[in-house]
Amino acid sequence: MPSFLVTFVHSGLNFIDLMVRQGNIDNPPKTPLVPGFECSGIVEALGDNVKGYEIGDRVMAFVNYNAWAEVVCTPLEFVYKIPEDMSFSEAAAFPMNFVTAYMMLFEVANLREGMSVLVHSAGGGVGQAIAQLCSTIPNVTVFGTASSFKHEAIKNSVTHLFDRNADYVQEVKKISADGVDIVLDCLCGENTGKGLGLLKPLGTYILYGSSNMVTGETKSFFSFAKSWWQVEKVNPIKLYEENKIMAGFSLLNLLFKQGRSGLIRNVMDKLIKLYNEKKIKPLVDSLWALEEVKEAMQRIHDRGNIGKLILDVEKTPTPLMANDSTETSEAGEEEEDHEGDNENKERIPFIQQ
């Protein structure tokens, strides 16, 4: 398979990276390993017979680990050109979040006009991508849960916003007595039963993460067991009787284990078109130097981010904002960090701890 050699400039941090660090995934590579599954950078070398790309091109890519390395080699099928108006930090925040959101909404759940969606962790990178994509379809109602300190920043991106610790089931039913058409669950645990209970007939519940299993600095068998036993045991007969659909989604498995890179490329083409039409825009929480990866991962662990955290190989060890404004007008509409602008002021992350 023709390969690219890419100089890493920015890399996205995802909750799956935290799970890898804590040993909460099956069959990780043997140590030592370099984490990271997506990056943006500049092409430095091309494999034989590669067409359509040149040395010096700006690209973003999926990587099966090693995205945090200074130089990344990845097969051609996982590489995409960065749109002209997209910064490197935006590009590093784009593939995982928006492809995951698009696949769940349109390929699995078949989102259509007038539907309703419940999304957990609405302030995170995937949550904000889901909200933006829902806004491209007329009359879609988005119910979101998030920590209360995030509400002011993301209130314009969802229709109804609830505190993550509140009884969101009753709050949703006050607004929509029949429930919702789509539930997107990255939490697992007790939220699985709640999500299934909220579905309308012909509704779709999709599990795409299990962040409730991550509670400490290391892997906890107690946390894992607690989350597992809180999951409502799904009875297929009950699904049949209630006309409900239960699904799971893992982008990394789809790419690297199930060989669906062609499908993902089609989705990326659609997403880049939406970006160029200014209908979607990656939301970057903050930039971090490689030396600060521990602090950046702690921010993800504490659910303190709004949007995506980015590792920036060119930055000094002081957290920097992705733009010159300390405030965001609304989800995904902050001013971009223009390409080649290295005069950004040093700033603390967007959300105060």
Side-chain angles (χ1 to χ4, degrees):
M1 175 64 65
S3 296
F4 275 84
L5 186 65
V6 179
T7 298
F8 155 58
V9 177
H10 291 79
S11 179
L13 277 73
N14 298 284
F15 205 88
I16 185 67
D17 296 313
L18 182 60
M19 297 182 72
V20 169
R21 174 184 169 188
Q22 296 192 355
N24 281 311
I25 65 167
D26 292 331
N27 301 316
K30 293 182 180 180
T31 56
L33 64 86
V34 178
F37 297 96
E38 62 182 337
C39 66
S40 63
I42 299 172
V43 176
E44 283 205 346
L46 303 171
D48 296 336
N49 302 318
V50 171
K51 297 180 181 179
Y53 294 86
E54 297 180 354
I55 293 175
D57 281 349
R58 302 188 323 131
V59 295
M60 50 187 164
F62 292 108
V63 187
N64 193 12
Y65 291 94
N66 299 313
W68 296 0
E70 293 183 0
V71 177
V72 172
C73 185
T74 190
L76 172 64
E77 60 187 310
F78 304 131
V79 180
Y80 314 88
K81 286 187 178 180
I82 298 175
E84 183 177 349
D85 294 335
M86 183 182 286
S87 67
F88 279 121
S89 58
E90 284 184 324
F94 192 77
M96 287 279 288
N97 289 354
F98 277 93
V99 171
T100 296
Y102 188 98
M103 289 292 296
M104 292 192 298
L105 288 171
F106 298 106
E107 298 291 335
V108 181
N110 193 22
L111 178 66
R112 302 182 301 281
E113 181 176 354
M115 280 187 163
S116 55
V117 179
L118 170 64
V119 55
H120 294 297
S121 300
V126 176
Q128 285 296 289
I130 289 167
Q132 290 186 32
L133 288 171
C134 285
S135 71
T136 66
I137 305 298
N139 302 318
V140 171
T141 301
V142 180
F143 298 91
T145 70
S147 300
S148 58
F149 70 89
K150 299 183 181 183
H151 286 199
E152 183 63 28
I154 67 173
K155 64 182 181 181
N156 294 325
S157 66
V158 299
T159 316
H160 304 285
L161 187 58
F162 312 116
D163 188 282
R164 62 173 304 194
N165 296 314
D167 185 358
Y168 62 85
V169 172
Q170 295 305 315
E171 294 300 320
V172 170
K173 287 187 174 180
K174 288 178 183 178
I175 301 167
S176 178
D178 293 336
V180 298
D181 296 294
I182 301 170
V183 174
L184 304 177
D185 181 10
C186 60
L187 303 178
C188 197
E190 63 180 349
N191 294 281
T192 300
K194 292 179 178 179
L196 285 169
L198 274 173
L199 282 183
K200 296 178 180 179
L202 301 182
T204 303
Y205 164 93
I206 305 175
L207 179 69
Y208 70 100
S210 54
S211 63
N212 277 341
M213 294 184 184
V214 178
T215 58
E217 291 298 319
T218 59
K219 182 177 181 179
S220 168
F221 176 79
F222 175 77
S223 296
F224 179 87
K226 180 181 178 182
S227 293
W228 173 253
W229 286 110
Q230 285 177 331
V231 174
E232 179 176 309
K233 305 306 181 285
V234 178
N235 184 340
I237 299 299
K238 187 176 180 180
L239 292 176
Y240 152 73
E241 291 175 344
E242 296 182 355
N243 283 299
K244 294 181 178 180
I245 302 163
M246 187 173 189
F249 182 77
S250 167
L251 175 58
L252 295 179
N253 285 344
L254 199 66
L255 276 170
F256 301 124
K257 293 183 179 180
Q258 296 160 354
R260 299 303 177 91
S261 60
L263 172 61
I264 301 305
R265 182 166 294 278
N266 289 335
V267 170
M268 280 289 287
D269 289 343
K270 295 175 183 178
L271 289 169
I272 289 172
K273 183 175 183 292
L274 288 172
Y275 177 86
N276 288 331
E277 293 172 350
K278 302 188 184 303
K279 293 181 179 179
I280 61 174
K281 182 180 177 67
L283 179 59
V284 176
D285 173 83
S286 49
L287 304 185
W288 301 77
L290 287 174
E291 295 87 345
E292 296 173 315
V293 66
K294 179 181 178 181
E295 292 78 8
M297 296 297 283
Q298 186 64 47
R299 185 168 174 78
I300 294 177
H301 178 278
D302 295 339
R303 280 76 166 176
N305 57 298
I306 296 180
K308 194 67 161 278
L309 278 74
I310 303 294
L311 288 180
D312 183 348
V313 73
E314 298 179 342
K315 298 301 181 184
T316 55
T318 302
L320 303 177
M321 285 301 299
N323 52 68
D324 288 334
S325 172
T326 57
E327 296 182 357
T328 303
S329 60
E330 59 180 321
E333 295 189 1
E334 73 274 26
E335 294 180 1
E336 76 176 62
D337 178 17
H338 293 287
E339 175 65 24
D341 182 5
N342 293 320
E343 299 179 356
N344 291 351
K345 298 178 181 179
E346 295 184 354
R347 300 186 188 276
I348 59 177
F350 179 71
I351 302 298
Q352 295 281 352
Q353 294 293 316

